[in-house]
Amino acid sequence: MLSSENYARSWALCYYLLRKKRKQLPLYIDLVKQRSRREEMTPQDAIADFEKAFGKIDTKFTKRWSK
């Protein structure tokens, strides 16, 4: 269960990805769909999939998103 603050962050990230990274979004969705429900997803694995689709999560990315 997400706190209201984390829910807002999640919503903001989804909104940003739809507005600014729309072309990369299908790749990320495909990566998520390929995951096996039986295998445990580590935070590192989740970040790696995200970065495959949208690029490195660095200061530049977070600044653009927070605008």
Side-chain angles (χ1 to χ4, degrees), residues 21-31 33 53-54:
K21 303 281 188 176
R22 184 177 292 265
K23 289 181 182 178
Q24 297 92 330
L25 200 52
L27 171 60
Y28 182 67
I29 291 169
D30 286 342
L31 290 169
K33 286 171 40 178
F54 303 112

Side-chain angles (χ1 to χ4, degrees), residues 8-23:
R9 281 192 187 115
S10 298
W11 185 92
L13 179 59
C14 289
Y15 184 78
Y16 171 78
L17 295 175
L18 281 169
R19 301 279 294 174
K20 303 294 184 180
K21 303 281 188 176
R22 184 177 292 265
K23 289 181 182 178

